[in-house]
């Protein structure tokens, strides 16, 4: 019985990592689609989001089944409940990558991104991809130092998000209202993506140390 | 033992309703603060959000304790897991109300809302308040028809959200970039608020009927 349970917990961890790898791929492709105006890539991200959603549903069902059949307590219970929450965050990160791709697709054959803001969004893209990659790694390694790095990536995303406002409102650029809308939403999507990455990181720290950051969660 | 468990489940339901009433009050005050430029009201909403967060943390801890101590199965298990998820949605609705209030406070003594868009946002406000009120009622009554009404309120919010883009980009209004940014974010906050309300409504339907909408959850 215990062996089966241990195998199931291992499987949960592997599924979360699989979800996270798909999120990593989604945010990476979404940013490329946005910055290169690649509509085919945008459409792939949009279509593939249903795979992430399906893994989440399957994982959640198995968590509930585990609670019912194995009646875990203490640390085992914490692992299952935390898995439920992490899958919700990863699913949401997939949605946000899809939203970035949707903006890219909507503006095709034009570009959503004003050329002057490309360098800024290239930095946001890099930070978001790094968050996703580190989340995948931390899900496997439970490396607390790397989890801490995700917080710093997110701080960076917050700073860059703030810079999008400065750039949009600074008066040096002449943006159309549509560009202002797109940049505002895209900045928000990247910022939320980072928040959810931090939420997953904090939950892993919680699993390892038993301490949940008071200000946890996006 | 069973009596204690039943009492605990009742308490969970009451706490969710208490959270929902606070969310109702938050979104109602946030919209008034926004539309009337009432900075004191905005500051109340911002300060009071921590109460909603505290109820969520307490409720979640009790759910995990219930899982450990009572080892519920079947419907009882479903109730506890669903409570965990609904508290997350309600907490997020509180955050979104706070974000609306933050925009109102940021622009004080000016107004974030261009006068021409006031009627549209007044409708969004009314729909969002109705979502929150109905969520509170449905949490108590488990009335499936009212849960269905929340879907319609949300459809309405989605339509109004779409109208904000038409109005912003239609060329009939001359908005500053700051106004475009504010209107874009505010529209997004209201739209997400409705999504989370629908998510709570669908989870109640799931509790009653055992059927979860495939496209459930925001």
């Amino acid at each position: 019985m215990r062996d089966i349970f241990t195998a199931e917990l291992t499987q949960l961890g592997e599924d979360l990592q699989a979800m996270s790898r798909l999120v990593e791929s989604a945010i990476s492709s979404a940013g490329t689609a946005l910055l290169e105006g690649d509509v085919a890539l945008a459409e792939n991200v949009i279509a593939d989001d249903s795979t992430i959603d399906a893994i989440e549903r399957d994982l959640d069902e198995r968590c509930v089944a585990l609670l019912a059949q194995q009646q875990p307590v203490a640390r085992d219970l914490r692992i299952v409940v935390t898995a439920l929450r992490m899958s919700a965050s990863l699913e949401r990160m997939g949605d946000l990558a899809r939203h970035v791709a949707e903006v890219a697709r909507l503006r095709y054959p034009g570009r959503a991104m004003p050329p002057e803001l490309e360098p800024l969004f290239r930095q946001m893209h890099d930070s978001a991809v790094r968050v996703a990659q580190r989340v995948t790694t931390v899900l496997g390694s439970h490396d607390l130092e790397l989890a801490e790095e995700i917080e710093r990536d997110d701080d960076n995303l917050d700073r860059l998000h703030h810079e999008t406002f400065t750039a949009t409102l600074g008066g040096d650029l002449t943006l159309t209202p549509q560009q202002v809308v797109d940049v505002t939403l895209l900045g928000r999507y990247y910022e939320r993506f980072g928040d959810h990455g931090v939420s997953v990181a904090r939950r892993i720290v919680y699993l390892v140390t038993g301490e949940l950051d008071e200000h946890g969660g996006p």
Side-chain angles (χ1 to χ4, degrees), chain A residues 82 85-86 88-90 93 131 135 147 150-151 154 192-206 212 215-218:
Chain A
T82 303
R85 286 172 170 152
M86 291 197 291
S89 292
L90 290 167
M93 290 168 90
V131 164
V135 164
I150 295 172
E151 304 260 354
D154 182 53
R192 292 293 300 151
F193 188 92
D195 287 346
H196 285 288
V198 164
S199 171
V200 175
R202 287 187 186 164
R203 292 198 186 286
I204 293 166
V205 173
Y206 170 65
L212 190 59
H215 315 284

Side-chain angles (χ1 to χ4, degrees), chain A residues 129-144:
Chain A
V129 170
R130 203 157 46 233
V131 164
Q133 288 170 338
R134 286 177 165 167
V135 164
T136 306
T137 306
V138 172
L139 279 167
S141 68
H142 288 194
D143 174 342
L144 297 189

Side-chain angles (χ1 to χ4, degrees), chain A residues 169-186:
Chain A
L169 305 172
D172 296 339
L173 301 180
T174 321
L175 303 179
T176 66
Q178 181 70 69
Q179 287 175 318
V180 175
V181 168
D182 287 344
V183 166
T184 303
L185 288 177
L186 289 165

Side-chain angles (χ1 to χ4, degrees), chain A residues 7-27:
Chain A
E8 299 250 30
L9 288 187
T10 306
Q11 187 59 48
L12 281 187
E14 281 169 10
D15 289 354
L16 286 169
Q17 271 186 284
M19 268 185 98
S20 186
R21 268 189 293 268
L22 291 174
V23 166
E24 209 181 301
S25 161
I27 195 68

